[in-house]
Amino acid sequence: MQKSTKVIFTTQFEEEVHAGLTDFPKHLSSKYFYDEKGDKLFQDIMHMPEYYLTQKEYDILLNHTAEIAELFASGNPKFKLIELGAGDGKKTKILLKHLSENNFDFKYQPIDISQNVLNGLEKSLQKEFPNVSVEPQQGTYFEALEEINSENGTKKVILFLGSNIGNLLHEQAIDFLKNVQELMQDEDLLFIGFDMKKNPQTILDAYNDQTGITAAFNKNVLARINHELGGNFDLDKFLHWEVYDPETGTAKSYLVSKEDHTVSIDRLDVLIDFKEWETIHTEISQKYDDTVVAWLAEEAGLKIETEFCDTEKFYKNFVLRK
Ligand code: AVI
C-alpha cells in the first residue's frame, strides 16, 4: 500500500476490503462473492457434477422426506420453518411439497443476504406452492438471528443447509451455533447440513472445476471491488488456487497474483501493491467428521437428536436441540 490519506468508510464492504487488502497476508471475505453475478455463478456451481454437496443433500431430503417432516411436527404440530441462507430453495422445496400436500400447519420464512435471490424464490414459491404461507426476509445470518429472537412463542424449525456453516472457522461456527442455541426454546429444532471428510481428491475437484466456474466465482470479489468501489483489478492477473488439508478438513481458496503489479481502488483512495505469487485468501470450506460435529454441538450447548446421511457418507444432516 502506498497511499494513506484518511478515508471515511460508508459501508462495511469498503471497510473490510480496505482492512483485508492492507493486511499481511491479504484476505477478503467470501460473503462478498454474492452479488447478482456471484449468485448466478453459485447456482452454476450447484449444478456442476464435481460439486457433489448439493446433490447429496438433495438425495438425503428426498430419501427421508416423510421422516424429516414428522420430526419437524413432533410434539407441537404447528411450527415456523426458518431457513438461513435459503438461496433458490431447490432442496427445501422437497420438504415444502410434502408438508403442503400433507396439510402440515407451518409457515416458511426464507432468509438470505441477497434480495435478488429472495425475489426469485418468492416468485417460484407462489407459483409452485400457492397454499404455503411465505415470509421472506433479507439479511445476514446475524440479522436473521434477531428475527428468530422475535419469534418467541412459536415453535421454530431452523434450517441451515448446504454446509454453509463450513464457511466459518470453528470458533466462529461455535459462536454462531451458541447464538442460535440461546434463541431456541426447548421444542425448537436446528436441522443443519455438514459436508463430511472424504477422499481429498473429491474435495479438491469440487472446488477446482475444469470449466473455470469456481475460478470466476472466486474472482467475482475482485469484479465487485471494480464495479462498486472503482477498482481496476485485472482478473487475468490472478490464479484461482485451492488447497485441502485432509488432517484439519479445511479447504482454502486463494487468488494468487501472477506478477508484480499495483491496483488502485478509487473509492478507498488506496493503491495496493501485489508481489509476484502473493496471495489473497478468500474462503474456507470446512469438512467435518462425527467427532468434530459432536464437539461443535457440545461447545454450543446443543444436543444431537438424530442424523441423516447419503449412501456414500459424503454428507450429513444433523438434527440438534438445546
Ligand atoms: C456456500 N458455501 C457452502 C459454498 C462452499 O462449498 O463453501 C461456497 C462455494 N465456494 C466454492 N464453491 C462453492
Side-chain angles (χ1 to χ4, degrees), residues 2-3 20 38 95 113 119 172 214 216 218-219 253 272 299-300:
Q2 290 160 348
K3 283 194 197 174
L95 297 174
I113 194 161
N119 292 344
Q172 299 169 327
T214 309
N218 194 6
K219 288 183 184 185
S253 303
I272 308 289
E299 288 291 307

Side-chain angles (χ1 to χ4, degrees), residues 34 42 45 51 53 162-164 167 207 214 217 283 285:
Y34 302 88
F42 186 52
I45 286 175
Y51 194 74
L53 288 80
S163 202
N164 282 339
N167 297 133
Y207 293 91
T214 309
F217 182 60
E283 186 177 52
S285 299

